[in-house]
PDB file of all heavy atoms in Angstrom:
ATOM      1  N   ALA A 720      24.078 -17.233   2.888  1.00 88.00           N
ATOM      2  CA  ALA A 720      23.118 -16.304   2.594  1.00 88.00           C
ATOM      3  C   ALA A 720      21.802 -16.893   2.400  1.00 88.00           C
ATOM      4  O   ALA A 720      20.657 -16.470   2.817  1.00 88.00           O
ATOM      5  CB  ALA A 720      23.482 -15.361   1.410  1.00 88.00           C
ATOM      6  N   SER A 750      32.559 -20.191  -3.968  1.00 93.00           N
ATOM      7  CA  SER A 750      32.903 -21.542  -3.948  1.00 93.00           C
ATOM      8  C   SER A 750      31.837 -22.391  -3.183  1.00 93.00           C
ATOM      9  O   SER A 750      31.902 -23.716  -3.311  1.00 93.00           O
ATOM     10  CB  SER A 750      34.233 -21.743  -3.233  1.00 93.00           C
ATOM     11  OG  SER A 750      34.206 -21.376  -1.896  1.00 93.00           O
ATOM     12  N   GLY A 753      25.519 -20.433  -5.554  1.00 91.00           N
ATOM     13  CA  GLY A 753      25.107 -19.331  -6.335  1.00 91.00           C
ATOM     14  C   GLY A 753      23.814 -18.699  -5.817  1.00 91.00           C
ATOM     15  O   GLY A 753      23.088 -19.395  -5.167  1.00 91.00           O
ATOM     16  N   HIS A 762      21.649  -6.845 -14.088  1.00 80.00           N
ATOM     17  CA  HIS A 762      21.233  -7.773 -15.164  1.00 80.00           C
ATOM     18  C   HIS A 762      20.843  -7.110 -16.438  1.00 80.00           C
ATOM     19  O   HIS A 762      20.835  -7.783 -17.493  1.00 80.00           O
ATOM     20  CB  HIS A 762      20.259  -8.817 -14.617  1.00 80.00           C
ATOM     21  CG  HIS A 762      18.787  -8.303 -14.515  1.00 80.00           C
ATOM     22  ND1 HIS A 762      17.951  -8.167 -15.522  1.00 80.00           N
ATOM     23  CD2 HIS A 762      18.160  -8.007 -13.387  1.00 80.00           C
ATOM     24  CE1 HIS A 762      16.811  -7.740 -15.014  1.00 80.00           C
ATOM     25  NE2 HIS A 762      16.883  -7.648 -13.770  1.00 80.00           N
TER      26      HIS A 762
END
Side-chain angles (χ1 to χ4, degrees):
S750 62
H762 73 81

